[in-house]
Amino acid sequence: MTDKKLSGKHVLMVIAPNQFRDEELVEPKKVLLDQGARVSIAACKLGEAKGMLGLSINPDLLVGAAKPESYDAVVVVGGMGSPTYLWEDEQLHALLQNRQKANKVVAAICLSGAVLARAGVLSGKRATVYATDESMAALASGGAKYVNEAVVSDGLVVTANGPDAASDFGEAIVTAMVPVASAV
């Protein structure tokens, strides 16, 4: 079969403007692009965003400018900048809530699992996170059921625990999106 599984689908990846984890952006993005998805990158501010390992990227748009109905999935990238820039971002929380209510995929890797929890989209869901006292507390207060695995999928919610899981995380996002793609 030569058809790409995600042809016609649009994914929004959200990064911190500083200290996002390079491979948690690059590896899932490659998987998504290879499957035919269009990928846009958003941050809470425009201009050069810097990864923890030196990657420099200019986001395509602000999180607040993202039109929820334009995206078939929203993926929150992790890294040390996540708690500072993303955990409390109300516009990002609203975007995630909107996409979950519309039965679209919401996903996060590393410390950004806490973003999903704080947005209220993990209640009753199995999830993983890069485990710190703060991230584990966020998952617990968000009603998530923590699972100590590299990648955890629960319906249309996909989480991963860190950079070593980045490629598998991308594959799990594709898998979560495929039933949505073929139902259209």
Side-chain angles (χ1 to χ4, degrees):
M1 183 167 140
T2 57
D3 287 342
K4 299 199 180 254
K5 294 178 183 176
L6 300 182
S7 292
K9 298 297 173 189
H10 193 181
V11 178
L12 182 67
M13 296 187 78
V14 179
I15 61 172
N18 191 32
Q19 297 281 301
F20 66 87
R21 189 69 194 214
D22 304 39
E23 62 270 59
E24 293 174 1
L25 170 65
V26 173
E27 292 178 26
K29 181 181 176 189
K30 180 185 182 323
V31 171
L32 294 165
L33 290 171
D34 286 349
Q35 287 300 325
R38 196 170 106 212
V39 177
S40 296
I41 299 173
C44 56
K45 54 186 190 181
L46 294 178
E48 184 181 39
K50 290 292 241 171
M52 291 173 61
L53 304 179
L55 180 65
S56 176
I57 189 163
N58 286 305
D60 301 307
L61 69 158
L62 291 168
V63 171
K67 293 184 168 84
E69 63 279 2
S70 298
Y71 304 102
D72 299 290
V74 176
V75 178
V76 188
V77 174
M80 296 301 293
S82 180
T84 303
Y85 296 101
L86 304 178
W87 282 21
E88 303 300 328
D89 187 324
E90 292 180 8
Q91 292 176 318
L92 178 53
H93 292 179
L95 179 63
L96 291 163
Q97 291 161 3
N98 177 290
R99 294 298 69 204
Q100 185 180 51
K101 285 180 184 142
N103 293 316
K104 301 296 181 182
V105 171
V106 294
I109 187 169
C110 193
L111 288 170
S112 289
V115 176
L116 300 187
R118 289 174 181 238
V121 300
L122 289 184
S123 184
K125 297 284 186 183
R126 297 169 60 252
T128 193
V129 69
Y130 182 82
T132 65
D133 290 345
E134 296 82 7
S135 65
M136 294 297 286
L139 255 62
S141 68
K145 298 171 187 168
Y146 175 71
V147 180
N148 186 13
E149 293 177 9
V151 179
V152 176
S153 294
D154 190 334
L156 298 176
V157 177
V158 181
T159 52
N161 66 2
D164 291 343
S167 288
D168 290 341
F169 175 63
E171 295 292 345
I173 294 166
V174 170
T175 299
M177 290 179 71
V178 168
V180 176
S182 37
V184 175

